[in-house]
Amino acid sequence: MKELRTQVAIVGAGPAGMLLGQLLDRDGIDCIVLERRSRDYVEKRVRAGVIEYGIANLLEWAGAGERMRSVGLVHHGVEIRFERRGYRIPLSELADGKPITVYGQQEVVKDLVALRLESGAPLLFDCEVTELSGLESETPSVLAMSSDGPIRVTCDYVAGCDGSFGVANRAMPASTKRYERNFPFSWLGILAEAKPVSEELIYARHENGFALYSLRSPTVSRLYLGVGTTETLEEWSDDRIWHELNTRLATEERPTVNEGPILERGITAMRSVVLDPMRHGSLFLAGDAAHIVPPTGAKGMNLALADVRELASAFVASFRHRDQSLLDTYSERCLERVWRAEEFSNYMTQMLHPAQDGFENGVQSARLRQAVTSREASSVLARNYVDLNSL
Ligand code: RFL
Ligand code: PHB
């Protein structure tokens, strides 16, 4: 067994694990990132695309903002469509001038991986963590299986940044509260080589279901359809996907979508999860390992990056100044923000997906009409959409 020693063992090289590694590295704290997938896999995994204002600043401050600032798309509004009409929400005008940045999650990860490899800091791909032990002692350890055989990393702290089905999540004791909601629909997402039809994102509520138009570059569109929880990709031919997108996104006066070859597709269940607390002894959870939000509010990656902003400063206070107070309050401070994101994601999800129940449908339609016609309601939406994690 290969034995390694570090200050912080980071499980998972998603956005949370990679940014935490970068922030600790810059503060001279030793850490090792262990990732079960290959570098190629994590750099190509298509997921989130919307980066909040304060989180874009955080990435820049961490030294990972160069490519995001040069090729990321800066948006000042979003459109909401229903009953064949489009309503623009002027995000920046309603949120103190702040924009959002549309930049793929895998690009954020790619930028952080490049920085870490350049600095020579340890980042082990194809290295699956199988067990966390001694979490209630001062010398916890992480057992992993790499392509060269087993590894044990002994450390002061473990950061569980390994997503919702990871080993860190499973290492939490039975006393951890787990709050959960499963929504009665999933999202079918595609990435298509198709020229974007609008410069801004479009969320649509249609009687057939939800649709979202997003984009990644001047030649690549990212589109989503709300589908039933038991539906599979086999039931969705390319023609059927484009037909539904065109139907659900149609308005009386605007073009709907440009079609093109589908480069990637997948179906994701919509759910909410919150673990409380986010700490057990020397294990600290961050990102999807601690909480899941449905993607309608575009909050998952932003929450993950905001968690590690807190966690990095808490580790720095502990190692540099022997001050444990930020680690002791980490969970409490994060959970306040996490519940705000759960509330917003729940609000967006319920309002934009048609409900089976007629009464619920009426209530949610009224809420949507208010969101696009009342300046007070659209201001709350805009502020949460643009910068919830830094408010
Ligand atoms: P990740 O990205 O899941 O990374 C976890 C990493 O841990 C690795 N891992 C392990 N490594 C070693 N040993 C083990 N035993 C391991 N087990 C797992 C995994 O391979 C992986 O590399 O979690 P992280 O860093 O917390 O990041 C969270 C975000 O990925 C997630 O919240 C977002 O993608 C959610 N999300 C969105 N978030 C936004 O902020 N804005 C959006 O616009 C947005 N859109 C979305 C989304 C998620 C979606 N899907 C597919 C769930 C759209 C979709 C469709
Ligand atoms: C995306 O661009 O992938 C995206 C945008 C907004 C969301 C979810 C996903 O709410």
Side-chain angles (χ1 to χ4, degrees):
M1 164 111 56
K2 190 168 164 188
E3 300 274 355
L4 300 170
R5 162 81 209 165
T6 191
Q7 288 175 295
V8 182
I10 301 176
V11 189
M18 287 311 303
L19 181 63
L20 180 61
Q22 172 68 7
L23 293 171
L24 294 182
D25 209 33
R26 280 173 53 122
D27 259 299
I29 292 166
D30 263 1
C31 56
I32 298 179
V33 182
L34 305 111
E35 165 60 50
R36 77 179 162 131
R37 302 284 196 171
S38 67
R39 177 180 179 186
D40 191 54
Y41 185 93
V42 303
E43 290 187 348
K44 291 201 175 129
R45 186 167 41 196
V46 179
R47 281 186 169 185
V50 174
I51 303 181
E52 290 178 4
Y53 175 80
I55 300 299
N57 288 344
L58 169 66
L59 288 169
E60 183 165 34
W61 181 81
E66 205 177 304
R67 225 162 48 89
M68 173 190 72
R69 292 292 190 215
S70 72
V71 303
L73 308 165
V74 174
H75 285 195
H76 298 281
V78 291
E79 189 178 330
I80 293 185
R81 291 184 181 177
F82 67 107
E83 292 166 352
R84 296 183 63 78
R85 287 184 58 185
Y87 303 82
R88 179 172 188 267
I89 301 199
L91 294 173
S92 304
E93 195 187 306
L94 297 169
D96 307 319
K98 299 171 183 174
I100 50 164
T101 304
V102 179
Y103 187 60
Q105 171 171 331
Q106 74 280 19
E107 304 302 324
V108 172
V109 169
K110 203 186 284 177
D111 295 343
L112 288 162
V113 166
L115 283 172
R116 192 163 182 88
L117 294 177
E118 235 168 71
S119 75
L123 165 55
L124 310 177
F125 287 108
D126 302 299
C127 182
E128 175 156 15
V129 173
T130 51
E131 198 185 321
L132 307 178
S133 56
L135 294 173
E136 283 166 283
S137 74
E138 288 191 353
T139 49
S141 62
V142 168
L143 284 179
M145 184 53 82
S146 75
S147 36
D148 301 329
I151 300 180
R152 187 196 342 256
V153 183
T154 309
C155 53
D156 298 296
Y157 297 113
V158 180
C161 303
D162 51 344
S164 65
F165 302 105
V167 64
N169 194 297
R170 291 197 301 277
M172 295 300 282
S175 58
T176 310
K177 293 189 208 89
R178 190 183 164 93
Y179 301 97
E180 203 162 353
R181 169 172 288 180
N182 291 303
F183 293 89
F185 25 75
S186 296
W187 274 17
L188 189 166
I190 63 163
L191 191 70
E193 210 175 299
K195 197 172 145 30
V197 72
S198 154
E199 278 172 16
E200 294 179 343
L201 270 62
I202 306 167
Y203 289 86
R205 175 197 168 103
H206 184 272
E207 62 260 29
N208 289 8
F210 169 84
L212 167 60
Y213 158 86
S214 179
L215 64 165
R216 287 292 182 271
S217 75
T219 55
V220 176
S221 300
R222 175 85 170 135
L223 298 132
Y224 298 93
L225 283 171
V227 300
T229 50
T230 57
E231 289 184 61
T232 60
L233 286 175
E234 290 69 53
E235 296 166 64
W236 285 88
S237 64
D238 291 16
D239 281 353
R240 183 172 176 215
I241 291 174
W242 290 117
H243 179 263
E244 260 324 288
L245 285 167
N246 275 310
T247 306
R248 297 182 192 184
L249 286 160
T251 64
E252 262 139 35
E253 66 281 348
R254 301 284 291 275
T256 53
V257 290
N258 292 323
E259 300 182 19
I262 297 179
L263 308 171
E264 214 262 356
R265 68 188 80 207
I267 292 187
T268 313
M270 303 275 284
R271 59 197 189 105
S272 290
V273 180
V274 178
L275 263 59
D276 178 1
M278 291 166 56
R279 172 191 188 172
H280 169 54
S282 45
L283 168 64
F284 293 82
L285 304 183
D288 280 15
H291 40 71
I292 298 290
V293 283
T296 331
K299 289 292 166 238
M301 170 171 60
N302 291 297
L303 271 178
L305 297 175
D307 285 354
V308 302
R309 172 175 63 191
E310 303 282 344
L311 191 52
S313 33
F315 283 144
V316 171
S318 167
F319 287 117
R320 283 279 174 78
H321 312 295
R322 302 190 173 283
D323 172 3
Q324 306 302 319
S325 61
L326 290 181
L327 283 177
D328 290 340
T329 55
Y330 167 73
S331 181
E332 201 184 307
R333 285 180 297 117
C334 284
L335 282 166
E336 200 225 88
R337 183 173 43 74
V338 167
W339 278 114
R340 267 193 284 128
E342 292 289 355
E343 187 278 328
F344 178 67
S345 306
N346 190 66
Y347 158 82
M348 291 287 280
T349 301
Q350 308 274 18
M351 181 169 80
L352 286 161
H353 291 73
Q356 296 288 330
D357 176 80
F359 185 83
E360 181 63 18
N361 216 38
V363 168
Q364 296 299 339
S365 299
R367 185 172 279 176
L368 184 54
R369 196 160 292 113
Q370 191 181 34
V372 297
T373 54
S374 138
R375 196 168 168 92
E376 284 75 25
S378 48
S379 296
V380 174
L381 191 159
R383 278 199 297 275
N384 283 325
Y385 194 81
V386 168
D387 211 19
L388 181 144
N389 281 285
S390 306
L391 291 177

